[in-house]
Amino acid sequence: MTDRIRKIYTIVDDATREDAIATVLNLIDKGDSFTAACRAVSAQIDVSFSAVRTWVNDSGQRAQQPTWEEVERLRMELAAATELYRRASARNLRSGVAE
């Protein structure tokens, strides 16, 4: 007979679930990634990371993620800005102007 690992599930009331969702969203607003925020909250309330992730996603409160087209457009804008900055810096160095 094989040994089975029995998972223990934590029962979470609605208020705790709502607080967890609000905390994840707050952490994201402060700069944490979705994954990091869910892991931090799940550790504090002793539930699985995937449970917290599911609660947040199901809440409909998470900001819409950018499309690949938006990401590509932003990458191109960043590349253009980087190139302009590089050229301006090189020009200033040649002319002896401090940045």
Side-chain angles (χ1 to χ4, degrees):
M1 176 176 231
T2 61
D3 291 331
R4 289 187 174 194
I5 298 173
R6 182 165 185 189
K7 292 185 178 182
I8 300 172
Y9 295 96
T10 303
I11 304 297
V12 178
D13 61 56
D14 290 341
T16 302
R17 184 178 296 119
E18 291 304 316
D19 288 345
I21 293 167
T23 302
V24 167
L25 296 172
N26 187 30
L27 291 171
I28 292 169
D29 285 344
K30 291 182 178 179
D32 275 352
S33 70
F34 178 57
T35 299
C38 288
R39 286 198 192 285
V41 170
S42 69
Q44 292 301 310
I45 61 175
D46 196 31
V47 298
S48 70
F49 157 76
S50 62
V52 174
R53 183 183 62 207
T54 300
W55 298 342
V56 175
N57 285 333
D58 288 351
S59 76
Q61 298 178 54
R62 187 172 170 211
Q64 186 66 32
Q65 298 300 301
T67 64
W68 284 113
E69 291 80 17
E70 290 174 289
V71 171
E72 187 58 32
R73 179 185 55 78
L74 291 169
R75 283 183 180 153
M76 290 187 326
E77 288 179 13
L78 178 59
T82 301
E83 177 66 12
L84 288 169
Y85 179 78
R86 185 192 65 76
R87 288 176 178 270
S89 295
R91 184 176 52 252
N92 290 338
L93 285 175
R94 284 192 306 268
S95 67
V97 176
E99 291 185 29

